[in-house]
Amino acid sequence: MQQREADITIIGTGTAGMAAYKAAKKSGQRVIVIEGGAYGTTCARVGCMPSKLLIAAAENAHQLEKAKEFGIHLTAGYRVDGHQVMQRVRRERDRFAKAAADTVLNWPEEDRLRGYARFIDANTLETDTGFRIHTRTTVIATGSSPFIPAQFQEAGDRLICNEDLFDFEKLPDSVAVFGPGVIGLELGQALHRLGVRVRLFGRGGSIGPLQDNKVRDLAGEIFNQEFSLLDDAQVETIQRSDQGVDICFVDQQGQACRESYDYLLAATGRRPNLESLNLEAVDLQLGPKGSPTADPQTGQLYLKSGKAAPIFIAGDVQNYRPLLHEANDEGHIAGQNAASWPDLHPVPRRTPLAVVFTDPQMALVGASLPQLQERLGSENLVIGEVSFHNQGRSRVLLVNKGLLRVYANKESGVLLGAEMLGPAAEHLAHLLAWSVQQQLSIPQLLELPFYHPVIEEGLRSALRSAAAQLN
């Protein structure tokens, strides 16, 4: 077995691992990165970018569908070329993935090891390619993988996840999507708009990451106007058939149904890639779901004895906020602290910000309504809201669907969070996140300029609604 020495070892070269490497390398110490899978980030290869490419095609098709409402008639109609759609998705996906992979390949060769790593003890790692690494500190940045419930295995070779979909050479004719989370909603709606027969199955009534019941209920109504979303489906059986996949279920009217689809797309969440790391050898503190317990401001892990371990964690494997910009922040934080260990430098985290690229879009900013109700009590909160149904600019653009709710401290008036379903949510969410992070109050925000006619005027209406309730 070949022996290697390192000051900092980073397991994984996704977004978090790349950020950790760059931060650790600045210290001038010996850094080794270990990767057993493909170079390139989850975002570029199988996540954010290919999904947005598919959504972009779907949005263009949807605009053609809406053209007649503006008095524009496409007399010859239009045709979705499923092969060409997927050709562009794969081509641009490969370009994004190659750019990320090339970044890693441009690092010094002596800094890179191929193989899957496992702990021997807190300062020793081994790879399945025959290397033993003695290291002062380690950063775990191994990412996550799709979670597939056992019941779905009955679909056989017609069971796919989002990672499989992006390799398709053409669009399928029909897909049953399980899981109305971010991935399921985005892909399900996009496939529907590209002419694929889709039904979306959920459990427990959840829709995306929405936490505010009023926003979530409206989301269910709006999405069901376009395609079938069973947010609390009773699925009886799943079976591979000659035609594809047969699904027996009870619909929301209590009717027993049997339907066939070409594929079953599992969008039922992701799990941290921890199983092959042999964490038992390190005796780390583990949370209730089996993941290591980390300090989000340092990335530090702890031993069961309570002592700080020379091990740090970052990115989706931590499952703190599994988003690219958070993974990048966590990588920098973990890499810096792994380099300075045992001296740690806590870094305050940014205001939580999440966007879902459905239509209408979803956005969550700051603390959620349930979190604030638990922390402050409902009596100490004010909730301002605006419906986009009659919002001027939204009606002009025929995107007048949705609801924005903003949450503020009743005594101080400080904005604490917001939840939105509606047009331009990706942009309004940034304005709201910056405002929450700056701890601005509702009156202060209402002193800022709002142009006319713009969708941002809807935000002003929600702020005015909140201001009317302040002490």
Side-chain angles (χ1 to χ4, degrees):
M1 184 164 285
Q2 300 183 56
Q3 306 290 319
R4 295 288 299 272
E5 300 288 333
D7 294 302
I8 305 120
T9 301
I10 298 162
I11 311 173
T13 59
T15 297
M18 292 169 68
Y21 174 81
K22 293 173 185 176
K25 195 71 175 174
K26 289 178 181 178
S27 70
Q29 299 178 62
R30 294 170 298 174
V31 184
I32 290 177
V33 293
I34 305 172
E35 177 60 74
Y39 288 143
T41 65
T42 295
C43 170
R45 291 187 298 105
V46 295
C48 319
M49 303 316 291
S51 67
K52 303 312 169 285
L53 286 162
L54 191 70
I55 291 168
E59 287 176 342
N60 276 275
H62 187 63
Q63 285 304 115
L64 294 175
E65 285 281 349
K66 290 173 62 176
K68 59 182 178 292
E69 298 183 54
F70 291 95
I72 301 168
H73 299 276
L74 305 170
T75 54
Y78 72 93
R79 178 178 63 90
V80 175
D81 185 329
H83 182 271
Q84 192 172 350
V85 168
M86 295 309 298
Q87 186 179 51
R88 180 174 186 265
V89 168
R90 295 196 316 276
R91 182 180 68 245
E92 291 298 308
R93 181 272 313 269
D94 291 346
R95 188 179 70 82
F96 287 122
K98 183 178 184 301
D102 285 349
T103 297
V104 178
L105 290 170
N106 285 328
W107 295 345
E109 187 174 354
E110 62 270 20
D111 290 359
R112 293 182 277 116
L113 285 181
R114 298 293 291 169
Y116 290 96
R118 63 194 298 270
F119 283 95
I120 303 303
D121 58 46
N123 298 102
T124 310
L125 296 161
E126 285 186 358
T127 71
D128 59 356
T129 50
F131 289 92
R132 172 169 285 194
I133 303 97
H134 303 276
T135 183
R136 188 171 58 84
T137 60
T138 301
V139 177
I140 300 171
T142 48
S144 62
S145 299
F147 167 64
I148 310 293
Q151 182 187 16
F152 294 177
Q153 301 298 335
E154 298 298 325
D157 59 348
R158 295 304 180 100
L159 171 63
I160 61 172
C161 64
N162 60 300
E163 300 183 4
D164 304 310
L165 178 65
F166 300 133
D167 280 329
F168 276 29
E169 293 189 0
K170 64 178 183 178
L171 291 169
D173 292 327
S174 60
V175 176
V177 181
F178 278 76
V182 174
I183 295 172
L185 280 170
E186 288 186 347
L187 296 183
Q189 185 179 48
L191 290 170
H192 163 77
R193 289 184 169 185
L194 291 167
V196 178
R197 178 168 61 87
V198 169
R199 191 187 289 274
L200 189 52
F201 295 87
R203 291 285 300 273
S206 63
I207 298 178
L210 298 174
Q211 300 294 306
D212 189 315
N213 289 339
K214 193 168 184 179
V215 182
R216 185 175 59 213
D217 290 346
L218 181 60
E221 293 177 21
I222 290 174
F223 290 126
N224 268 299
Q225 291 169 6
E226 183 178 348
F227 58 91
S228 174
L229 166 55
L230 305 179
D231 59 10
D232 194 15
Q234 300 178 48
V235 177
E236 305 291 344
T237 61
I238 295 170
Q239 187 175 12
R240 176 71 166 92
S241 67
D242 293 340
Q243 292 75 34
V245 183
D246 287 348
I247 300 172
C248 294
F249 63 96
V250 178
D251 68 16
Q252 299 194 167
Q253 285 71 47
Q255 299 295 314
C257 302
R258 180 187 181 96
E259 295 179 348
S260 293
Y261 296 87
D262 289 341
Y263 293 95
L264 187 160
L265 171 59
T268 42
R270 298 179 69 87
R271 284 189 170 175
N273 292 331
L274 292 167
E275 290 184 2
S276 64
L277 292 176
N278 191 34
L279 295 181
E280 297 82 4
V282 189
D283 206 29
L284 293 172
Q285 284 185 12
L286 302 179
K289 294 185 178 181
S291 295
T293 304
D295 181 340
Q297 294 193 352
T298 63
Q300 175 80 62
L301 296 181
Y302 295 89
L303 303 175
K304 289 180 181 177
S305 65
K307 292 181 59 178
I311 303 171
F312 299 78
I313 196 168
D316 288 3
V317 66
Q318 184 180 184
N319 202 29
Y320 175 63
R321 297 177 189 167
L323 299 163
L324 180 137
H325 66 282
E326 299 286 2
N328 188 66
D329 284 351
E330 289 169 5
H332 279 288
I333 291 169
Q336 289 169 355
N337 282 295
S340 65
W341 165 262
D343 296 324
L344 299 183
H345 305 281
V347 178
R349 300 302 295 270
R350 303 177 207 253
T351 292
L353 168 62
V355 177
V356 184
F357 291 84
T358 49
D359 178 20
Q361 292 182 341
M362 303 178 191
L364 288 81
V365 171
S368 69
L369 181 57
Q371 288 172 336
L372 292 170
Q373 289 171 331
E374 181 178 351
R375 187 191 312 166
L376 300 176
S378 298
E379 68 280 4
N380 296 314
L381 290 174
V382 297
I383 302 175
E385 69 175 48
V386 63
S387 166
F388 287 93
H389 180 71
N390 285 317
Q391 199 275 323
R393 179 67 170 168
S394 300
R395 289 193 69 88
V396 167
L397 297 173
L398 276 178
V399 292
N400 52 314
K401 294 180 180 179
L403 178 69
L404 166 62
R405 304 245 286 172
V406 297
Y407 318 126
N409 185 297
K410 190 170 187 177
E411 182 175 351
S412 67
V414 170
L415 182 67
L416 302 173
E419 190 160 309
M420 177 178 176
L421 171 78
E426 62 182 293
H427 305 299
L428 288 173
H430 281 81
L431 300 180
L432 287 161
W434 297 342
S435 300
V436 170
Q437 187 153 318
Q438 294 296 319
Q439 299 183 336
L440 297 180
S441 69
I442 300 295
Q444 287 174 318
L445 289 167
L446 286 170
E447 292 175 358
L448 300 175
F450 289 85
Y451 199 74
H452 173 78
V454 294
I455 291 174
E456 282 77 4
E457 287 179 296
L459 170 57
R460 183 175 61 184
S461 297
L463 294 173
R464 285 174 171 172
S465 170
Q469 305 169 56
L470 293 176
N471 292 331

